[in-house]
Amino acid sequence: MSVTAAQGFVAAGIAAGLKESGALDMALVQNLGPLRSAAAVFTSNRCTANPIIWSRQAIVDGSIEAIVLNSGGANCYTGAFGFQTTHQTAEQVGARLGVSSGDVLVCSTGLIGTGDQSFRDRLLAGVDIAAPALTADGGPNAARAIMTTDSHPKQAAVTSPSGWVIGGMAKGAGMLAPGLATMLVVITTDADVSSAQLDTALRSATRVTFDRLDSDGCMSTNDQVTIMASGASGVVPDSAEFEAAVTSICADLAQQLQGDAEGASHDITIETIRAATEDEAVDVGRAVSRSNLFKAAVFGNDPNWGRVLAAVGTTEAQFDPFDIDVTINGVRVCSSGQPDQPSESIDLTPRAVHVLIDLKVGASTATILTNDLTHDYVHENSAYAT
Amino acid sequence: MSVTAAQGFVAAGIAAGLKESGALDMALVQNLGPLRSAAAVFTSNRCTANPIIWSRQAIVDGSIEAIVLNSGGANCYTGAFGFQTTHQTAEQVGARLGVSSGDVLVCSTGLIGTGDQSFRDRLLAGVDIAAPALTADGGPNAARAIMTTDSHPKQAAVTSPSGWVIGGMAKGAGMLAPGLATMLVVITTDADVSSAQLDTALRSATRVTFDRLDSDGCMSTNDQVTIMASGASGVVPDSAEFEAAVTSICADLAQQLQGDAEGASHDITIETIRAATEDEAVDVGRAVSRSNLFKAAVFGNDPNWGRVLAAVGTTEAQFDPFDIDVTINGVRVCSSGQPDQPSESIDLTPRAVHVLIDLKVGASTATILTNDLTHDYVHENSAYAT
């Protein structure tokens, strides 16, 4: 159930002093091989953190030996000094593990603009603590070390009957909106797969999982989803089974991120059906997922379906505005441009909320995961930096 | 300072029983002429309320005798019955004022899905009360009657040295985001202008005022901005002066809407300068205005400039991500891709917040008005329907 579930991986989670609380704040994961295949997807935000700039280059050859991740500072918009900090961090990992710094990925998360000399010193000293702490059961500590406002670590694993394993860890909580990747995620497998196969599987998986998690509409500057294969099982997987397993891990972690999003009291699943195209189904779901008014209504246990339609109407998807059905938790509250069943019968007190939008024009479907807009969200995000 | 500031207009605001509180909830404004020139802009939301469908047709010939507005129910997604209600309301106004129903605009605001027989009965009975109550000093009551969650009425007027007057009223509070119009607004003038001139002036004004007010990112189904000219002053205005005055009235009302947005504790002005095009400047400002994270930070008096950049980075505007300056309340907190002045020196306790984003690529500028994301916003919108 962790990044060390698969054979050939060791990990550590240690306290580098980046978090004032003294909690774990640095994770290191090493691939012991025999393969070093890897692939990664990155935030599509054009304002990117230094670790993203570094890692985008390091992944190009498809070979990665280790990944180091820190919470407690994003090292984003910290200038040339911040980039050197990322570079030196990779160098430090390379030196301690006896690998090339060009085969080391770096991820950072925390406050943008954080990355001064003290931050660098702690990062480098942290690597010296983490490297000798690497163990085959270090996954859970690593998962804990990448948490920011997460209330608990997120991990998942799938074991194939064919003898290979995929494990993963994720952190999310805030700035959860897609741009390919949407959070820090590390997935490991002992299957014998090439970096090209990993890339195909990862992009296919993130497209329908992390890319469809839109908790608060805000896209991060630091997000990265990485997958690494050691090949240690010696098993070449069936590619369809492998892709399905990667998607399953990503879906599991995405749901865990949704379930622990900052301040959320409801997990809202927005399913758009019978759209003309999948992209249009995504657009419709995403528009609803970004309606503060609808999300605040759900927080208040109010099935305010008018706010769903008001959001759908802002899209350019094909539909007849007066022939859309909206169903909330199984109760069709709107059909044919008017109220249908009374919304009073909907019980929104459970955490899970299901919104079904039937566009009635085509055969495409997409599901977006989001959360409600709560007092706790406002509180956490008004008090985060200070 | 109201829709009756200009000669040739009478108005009334009465209680039709649509609001449970018994507060004023219906406004009627009549143009006594001699001209009946009019123009209107409507929400671009594709899911539109019945009054929008009606009014879009009624305005086509550029001649309007009266406008009736109600709060206490949006008459949106209420089916064919709801459309008949709007039609009957216009007929009732026409009968009481001795004009054609096709020259009567209708506006409604309130909860989507509200528009049953009782709603219709109250609307029609309300018209019977409002018509005989029309007076030349009825503007302030009319402004009060269109309020929903507004805490106070919004009115404005401009008097030209040439002898003509423009007055207006607006209601806003929630679902404040553009799509041409973004709220209910009625503007009246006694200048001698054609409907074509009104249309030109109104579109030019709303483009840089109401269209750039984006309080909560949610676009309404019911918004309409109407301008009517009586010509009663007998003065043909200079067209440039007239357009400037209409823009001034719209800017004034837009600022009043921003200042009374639901739950807001800060009015945030986002000024994007040196963009390649005006559209790109608008895109950048709007992206920041829709960042819940930045808006929650402002609520917490935290000048979290990293969240500004994270939002700017989601746009496709031309800029170098590492050569953007961000200045908050006069303090340049980010330049050349790194922290500049310490943000601790910024005092965000006053209500007015100014964010200046310098893209350094062109000569275009745009300003977006928004608000912070507060506990009161969440509270009001989680409890509105119930």
Side-chain angles (χ1 to χ4, degrees), chain A residues 89-178:
Chain A
T89 305
E91 294 273 1
Q92 193 86 346
V93 170
R96 290 290 164 271
L97 303 184
V99 303
S100 162
S101 64
D103 290 334
V104 177
L105 296 177
V106 183
C107 295
S108 297
T109 180
L111 188 65
I112 295 171
T114 302
D116 59 6
Q117 182 68 51
S118 156
F119 175 82
R120 178 190 288 182
D121 293 344
R122 288 167 201 224
L123 268 183
L124 299 180
V127 170
D128 292 346
I129 302 169
L134 289 166
T135 63
D137 58 3
N141 271 352
R144 191 166 288 279
I146 60 174
M147 289 164 53
T148 48
T149 54
D150 305 73
S151 69
H152 55 81
K154 283 91 183 170
Q155 301 180 89
V158 166
T159 301
S160 165
S162 316
W164 48 268
V165 171
I166 306 183
M169 66 179 184
K171 86 99 209 168
M175 273 204 183
L176 277 186

Side-chain angles (χ1 to χ4, degrees), chain A residues 212 214 258 267-273 281-291 294-295 298 308 311-312 326-327 353-357 365-371:
Chain A
R212 296 193 181 169
D214 195 331
Q258 180 192 27
D267 297 336
I268 309 173
T269 301
I270 303 167
E271 186 180 357
T272 304
I273 64 170
V282 169
D283 286 348
V284 165
R286 200 178 299 295
V288 177
S289 80
R290 293 189 175 180
S291 167
F294 177 63
K295 288 149 71 97
V298 171
V308 173
V312 172
V326 177
T327 301
V353 176
H354 183 258
V355 179
L356 181 72
I357 301 163
T365 294
T367 297
I368 299 288
L369 306 180
T370 189
N371 295 99

Side-chain angles (χ1 to χ4, degrees), chain B residues 3-4 6-11 28-39 62-68 93 97 99 103-104 134 186-191 193 198 226-233:
Chain B
V3 288
T4 47
Q7 297 176 66
F9 290 92
V10 287
L28 183 60
V29 181
Q30 184 179 10
N31 182 353
L32 300 175
L35 300 182
R36 266 77 178 190
S37 309
S63 176
I64 292 298
E65 297 271 359
I67 181 168
V68 59
V93 170
L97 302 184
V99 303
D103 289 335
V104 177
L134 288 167
V186 179
I187 299 167
T188 54
T189 180
D190 50 23
V193 284
L198 289 177
T226 302
I227 186 166
M228 301 189 287
S230 68
S233 71

